[in-house]
Amino acid sequence: MNNVIKYLINSFVILLVLVQVIFFIYGIFTDFKLINEFKNIDEETLIGNKFVKNSEYIKQNLIFEPLKSSMYKYNSYNDIVSKCKSISSGCKYSVIHGDAHNLQFSTLYNKDMNMTMFDTLIKGQDIDAWDAYPLFWADSLDKLQEKVNFIADNLYEQQTQLINRYFWHEAPFMLNAVNELDLGRNKSEIFSQYGFLSAYTVKFIMQSLGGINVENFDKAKNIINLTYYIISIAFIILFTKNYFIRFIFTILFSIYFFSIGFHSYHFAPTHVYIRHFFDLLIALMLFWSMKFKESRTCYIAIVFTLGILSILLVKDFGLFLFLSIVGTFIIKYVLEFIERRRVDLKELWIFIIFILFSIIACIKYPLMDNPSTKYFLDGFYSLPISMSIYMLLLFAISLLWLGLIWFYVELKRSNYLLSYIFLLFYTEFLCVLFVWKGNFDNINFAIIALPMLILFHFIVKRIRNILYIIIAPILIFAYAKYCYEYISQMALYENTFATHRNYKWDHERAGGIITTYSFERFDDALRLINKYSKNSNELYMISKYDNMLQFFSKKYSGLKYFELKSFIITDDEYNEVLDLINSKADILYVDTDIFNVYYKELKERRFFDVYNNQWLPNDVMRRIIQLKILLNLFDDVRDKYELVEHGKLIDVYKRKKE
C-alpha cells in the first residue's frame, strides 16, 4: 500500500514539474504581446466586421451625460442583466428590457451639484446626497448590447491605462539599467532596483538571443526562471528523501507562481527569480557541509562565496542572504564553543574574511543607491497588513525558533541544523518584505515553508500522516484554483488581441513584439531625438514616455532619474531636476499634449473614468498627480525655451539665447 501511495505521489510531482516547465517554455518560445497601457494613445476595437477608433467611439457613445438621458429609451441600469461578478473577468452581459438594477453599470451622481463620485475624488470635495444613475444610454437594445460588448472588450486594457502601472512603468527598472550599462554610462549614475550582476546576466542572455530588446527581455526572464526552477527541484530531491515533503515543496512553488497572476508575472521584473537566485543553493551547501564532513571547508567556502555574489547580484536580497549566513555561523560557533570549548580557527578566519569582503561589496557596490528611500520607508510607516496578521506572523516565527530548541538533537543528527537556522533567518527577512508590501508577490511559499518542512521529519509518524492527509487536499485545491485563475487571465489577455487591431513593432529595441497600438508616434519621437541629440547619449525630457524613449533611442536621462513621474516624490527631487534642466538642458523634449492631458482628465466623464469600482481610486489619483508634476516642471522652465519643432508624441524646445 505504501509503495502504491509513494508511486502516485511521485507521479503527481512529475506532472506538476512538467506543467510548470511548460509555462516557462511557453514564455520563451512565443511572441511577447503588450496591450496599450497609455491612456492618451489610441487603439482600435473590432465592432461587427470593422475596426473603430476607441477615442471616437467613446466620445460618441460612452460619455456620462445625465442631462441628455431623457433622449434615450434604454439604459445601463435597468436593461442589463449581470451573469458574473465582474465585467473585467471577460464575461458577456445579457441586454434585455426590464428592471435589472445593475449597480455595476451605474454611478453615484448629485444632480444639483452636477458631480459624480469621480468628480469629488478629483476635486477633493465631500457630498452626502447621492442618487444612482445609469452610466450610458441607447435608443435600441442592439445599440445597448454593442456598447456593453465594447466595454467588455476594453475594460481590461482601460483599467491598465487608468492605473498606469504596467510594463512601461515596471520593466524599465531593469531594462533601462541594461541599456545604460550597454552605453557605458558611469555605473555610479545608474540605478537598478533589481541589482548589478543581475542586470549583466539579463544583458548577456538578451545579447545571446540576438540583441537587447523587449522581446528578448521576456525570453531572458523565463530562461532565468526556468533555470531557478530546475535548481529548486534538484535541491528538494537532494535535500530530502521524504517523497511527501518533496510533493509539498513542489506544489507550493507552483501555487506561488500561479497566485501572482498572469497579469503581474507578464510585466513585473520583480518576478525574475534572479533576485534570490542563490538562496536554495546556500541551504543545500550548508546541509552538505554537515553531511559530508571531509569536504566541510569546501562547502562552507562555497556558501561564503555565494553570499558575496548575492550582494553584487541584487543588493537588497543579497543583504538578506548575507545576514542570514552571518546569523547562522554565529549561532554555530557559539554552540560549538559551549559543547566543545573550542572552535575551528581556520573556519573562523574564513568567516571573518567573508564578512570583510561582504562589507567591501556593500561599500563598493558600483551602482547608484536607491534615490527613493522615502518610498520604501513609507511602506513600513503605513503598515499595510492588519495588526492581527502581524501578530500571527510573529507567533509563527516564534514557534519555528522554539522548534530549533525542541528538535535541536534531531536537527544536528540529521545534518539539517545549519540549513534550518539559515532558512529561519532568511524567512524572517522575507517576512519583513511582506510587512512592507502587504502581500506575498515577492515571496516564494515553498521557501518560507522549508523550516516547517524540515521539522516534519521529526514529528511522530502517526501525527505526520494525519497532517499529510489534511494538507494534501488543501494544497491540491489551492493549486487548481490559482492555476485556473492564471489561465483565465491569459485567455482574457489574448481576447484583447482578438478584439483589437494588432501591430508588430519591428524596431531594433522592440524585437518584433505584438501590441494593440501603433509605433508610429514613437517612431516620430525617435526621429526627433536622433535629429537633435545625435552626438550625445544624454536626453533632457519632460514626458510620460521618458523611460521608454530612452531605451528605444539608446540614450539615457541627463536628469538623474530615468522616469521623472515616479521618482519626483518630494520637493528635493523636484528642485534637483529643475536645477539640472536650468544648468544643462540646451535641448528639451516635452510631451505634445502636456498642457491638455492633465486638464482633460478633469473635464471628461468617459465611462472608463467614472466607472471606478474596478480599481483603487488612489492609483487613479497618483497618476493624475504625476501628470500635474510634469506640467508644473515645464511651467517653471518654459519661459527659457522656444519651440523649434512640433512632433506627433513630443515637441522639441531649444534654450533661448541670453
Side-chain angles (χ1 to χ4, degrees):
M1 183 65 180
N2 286 338
N3 287 335
V4 173
I5 294 174
K6 183 178 179 179
Y7 173 78
L8 290 174
I9 291 175
N10 286 337
S11 298
F12 189 61
V13 168
I14 292 172
L15 179 62
L16 289 173
V17 172
L18 289 175
V19 170
Q20 191 61 61
V21 167
I22 286 171
F23 278 93
F24 292 131
I25 291 177
Y26 175 85
I28 296 171
F29 291 102
T30 57
D31 290 330
F32 187 62
K33 295 181 178 180
L34 274 182
I35 60 175
N36 181 11
E37 61 195 89
F38 298 112
K39 193 169 185 285
N40 308 105
I41 294 180
D42 217 354
E43 64 269 353
E44 295 184 16
T45 300
L46 185 64
I47 296 181
N49 58 359
K50 67 175 182 178
F51 286 101
V52 298
K53 288 189 175 183
N54 277 22
S55 59
E56 294 178 2
Y57 187 88
I58 292 170
K59 186 174 181 179
Q60 295 169 6
N61 296 278
L62 291 172
I63 300 294
F64 180 68
E65 298 175 306
L67 300 180
K68 296 182 180 180
S69 59
S70 59
M71 298 168 52
Y72 302 96
K73 184 176 181 181
Y74 305 99
N75 66 67
S76 61
Y77 184 52
N78 292 329
D79 304 314
I80 298 175
V81 176
S82 171
K83 288 189 175 182
C84 56
K85 294 180 180 179
S86 169
I87 192 171
S88 61
S89 65
C91 61
K92 300 292 183 179
Y93 279 61
S94 295
V95 173
I96 60 171
H97 181 49
D99 192 19
H101 286 187
N102 190 320
L103 294 175
Q104 285 190 288
F105 287 107
S106 66
T107 189
L108 295 178
Y109 173 72
N110 185 295
K111 184 177 180 180
D112 296 331
M113 299 289 292
N114 188 26
M115 293 188 71
T116 66
M117 283 286 278
F118 185 76
D119 295 330
T120 61
L121 173 70
I122 299 296
K123 298 177 181 178
Q125 293 181 238
D126 290 324
I127 296 178
D128 296 327
W130 297 103
D131 292 309
Y133 268 69
L135 276 169
F136 53 91
W137 296 262
D139 52 14
S140 71
L141 289 177
D142 288 342
K143 187 63 177 179
L144 196 65
Q145 182 72 66
E146 177 190 283
K147 293 184 179 183
V148 172
N149 291 342
F150 178 89
I151 292 167
D153 290 337
N154 281 278
L155 189 58
Y156 185 77
E157 193 170 31
Q158 290 284 329
Q159 175 181 339
T160 301
Q161 294 172 16
L162 278 172
I163 296 176
N164 195 33
R165 289 180 63 86
Y166 189 54
F167 185 84
W168 286 114
H169 168 75
E170 300 285 351
F173 281 86
M174 182 171 280
L175 272 179
N176 282 42
V178 170
N179 174 55
E180 292 173 25
L181 287 170
D182 189 56
L183 291 171
R185 188 180 190 182
N186 187 324
K187 293 182 179 62
S188 64
E189 298 177 354
I190 299 174
F191 171 63
S192 173
Q193 184 168 316
Y194 300 103
F196 172 55
L197 291 183
S198 61
Y200 270 111
T201 303
V202 172
K203 176 175 173 282
F204 171 77
I205 296 173
M206 285 196 287
Q207 289 175 327
S208 301
L209 293 170
I212 297 173
N213 58 54
V214 178
E215 177 76 24
N216 288 339
F217 174 66
D218 187 66
K219 294 183 187 304
K221 174 186 72 176
N222 283 286
I223 288 171
I224 291 169
N225 290 356
L226 175 59
T227 304
Y228 180 81
Y229 182 70
I230 292 170
I231 291 172
S232 301
I233 298 304
F235 159 81
I236 200 62
I237 291 172
L238 297 169
F239 194 68
T240 180
K241 294 181 180 179
N242 187 306
Y243 59 89
F244 209 95
I245 290 177
R246 291 175 179 175
F247 158 74
I248 293 175
F249 178 87
T250 305
I251 197 169
L252 278 174
F253 196 115
S254 291
I255 290 172
Y256 160 69
F257 174 84
F258 291 124
S259 67
I260 63 177
F262 173 79
H263 189 71
S264 182
Y265 181 79
H266 189 63
F267 72 80
T270 189
H271 300 305
V272 181
Y273 300 156
I274 200 167
R275 298 181 81 183
H276 49 86
F277 198 78
F278 296 131
D279 49 11
L280 294 178
L281 287 174
I282 291 171
L284 183 62
M285 293 302 109
L286 290 171
F287 173 61
W288 281 352
S289 72
M290 296 191 69
K291 184 176 182 180
F292 306 111
K293 292 180 174 54
E294 66 279 2
S295 303
R296 182 182 66 180
T297 304
C298 178
Y299 290 124
I300 288 175
I302 293 173
V303 168
F304 292 159
T305 302
L306 293 177
I308 297 169
L309 286 175
S310 294
I311 294 172
L312 295 173
L313 192 70
V314 184
K315 192 174 182 180
D316 50 3
F317 271 82
L319 287 173
F320 288 169
L321 291 169
F322 164 71
L323 293 173
S324 300
I325 294 170
V326 170
T328 299
F329 278 87
I330 288 175
I331 292 176
K332 174 184 182 293
Y333 296 139
V334 169
L335 291 174
E336 282 184 0
F337 184 78
I338 292 172
E339 293 176 0
R340 304 177 187 175
R341 297 297 174 185
R342 64 183 178 85
V343 294
D344 187 328
L345 291 179
K346 178 182 176 182
E347 186 181 304
L348 184 60
W349 275 111
I350 296 174
F351 177 61
I352 293 171
I353 292 171
F354 158 67
I355 292 177
L356 290 175
F357 273 96
S358 297
I359 292 172
I360 292 171
C362 285
I363 295 173
K364 296 295 185 179
Y365 188 75
L367 301 185
M368 179 199 301
D369 289 331
N370 196 315
S372 295
T373 304
K374 182 179 182 299
Y375 166 73
F376 293 97
L377 292 177
D378 284 349
F380 290 109
Y381 297 151
S382 59
L383 193 63
I385 61 173
S386 67
M387 186 55 65
S388 58
I389 294 177
Y390 182 68
M391 297 306 296
L392 184 63
L393 198 62
L394 291 177
F395 177 70
I397 291 173
S398 300
L399 287 180
L400 291 174
W401 278 106
L402 287 174
L404 173 62
I405 299 170
W406 188 266
F407 295 106
Y408 174 75
V409 175
E410 290 85 351
L411 285 165
K412 188 175 181 181
R413 187 188 306 124
S414 62
N415 302 314
Y416 285 124
L417 180 61
L418 292 183
S419 53
Y420 181 84
I421 297 172
F422 165 76
L423 288 166
L424 203 48
F425 275 115
Y426 188 50
T427 297
E428 287 184 4
F429 288 122
L430 291 180
C431 287
V432 169
L433 189 63
F434 166 70
V435 170
W436 169 74
K437 191 171 184 182
N439 61 52
F440 285 104
D441 275 1
N442 302 105
I443 304 173
N444 193 327
F445 304 146
I447 295 174
I448 63 175
L450 273 173
M452 180 188 68
L453 294 180
I454 291 174
L455 295 182
F456 270 23
H457 290 89
F458 317 122
I459 298 174
V460 177
K461 186 175 181 180
R462 181 180 298 176
I463 297 175
R464 190 168 66 223
N465 289 340
I466 293 173
L467 289 174
Y468 291 160
I469 293 171
I470 295 172
I471 292 171
I474 294 174
L475 292 179
I476 292 172
F477 173 79
Y479 175 84
K481 175 182 181 294
Y482 288 117
C483 182
Y484 172 78
E485 290 178 357
Y486 188 95
I487 294 172
S488 297
Q489 290 178 16
M490 285 182 68
L492 179 60
Y493 194 81
E494 288 294 330
N495 180 67
T496 303
F497 291 88
T499 56
H500 288 71
R501 188 185 296 279
N502 291 188
Y503 302 86
K504 185 175 182 179
W505 287 13
D506 289 321
H507 188 274
E508 177 188 356
R509 279 296 175 91
I513 63 173
I514 307 300
T515 73
T516 58
Y517 56 116
S518 172
F519 193 70
E520 179 186 359
R521 294 174 68 185
F522 296 100
D523 201 35
D524 181 71
L526 296 177
R527 177 188 63 80
L528 294 174
I529 290 171
N530 290 331
K531 179 178 178 180
Y532 291 94
S533 300
K534 183 178 181 179
N535 299 319
S536 174
N537 282 336
E538 286 190 338
L539 292 179
Y540 298 90
M541 182 177 292
I542 302 175
S543 171
K544 301 180 290 297
Y545 317 103
D546 51 0
N547 52 12
M548 183 180 180
L549 292 174
Q550 290 163 42
F551 179 74
F552 278 96
S553 65
K554 297 184 182 180
K555 298 183 185 296
Y556 53 79
S557 175
L559 300 177
K560 184 177 180 179
Y561 309 111
F562 63 82
E563 183 179 290
L564 292 184
K565 66 180 187 292
S566 293
F567 282 96
I568 297 179
I569 298 175
T570 67
D571 288 341
D572 291 338
E573 293 90 19
Y574 186 92
N575 292 328
E576 184 180 28
V577 171
L578 194 61
D579 289 342
L580 286 170
I581 294 174
N582 286 327
S583 62
K584 298 180 70 176
D586 292 325
I587 296 293
L588 186 64
Y589 301 97
V590 182
D591 284 342
T592 56
D593 60 1
I594 195 165
F595 296 113
N596 298 326
V597 66
Y598 170 70
Y599 295 109
K600 191 177 180 181
E601 293 278 348
L602 305 181
K603 294 178 181 178
E604 281 191 333
R605 285 176 172 173
R606 300 160 75 250
F607 167 85
F608 298 102
D609 294 332
V610 181
Y611 178 75
N612 59 10
N613 67 330
Q614 292 295 318
W615 42 79
L616 295 175
N618 288 338
D619 285 323
V620 178
M621 281 303 301
R622 181 182 62 247
R623 179 178 56 79
I624 294 174
I625 290 170
Q626 289 174 342
L627 294 175
K628 179 64 172 173
I629 289 172
L630 296 181
L631 176 59
N632 289 344
L633 194 61
F634 184 55
D635 271 340
D636 284 343
V637 300
R638 63 172 167 163
D639 289 342
K640 301 175 183 179
Y641 290 86
E642 57 184 353
L643 178 68
V644 293
E645 188 164 350
H646 180 69
K648 297 178 181 178
L649 189 74
I650 56 174
D651 293 336
V652 185
Y653 288 82
K654 186 176 182 179
R655 188 188 297 275
K656 295 178 181 177
K657 294 182 180 180
E658 296 292 341

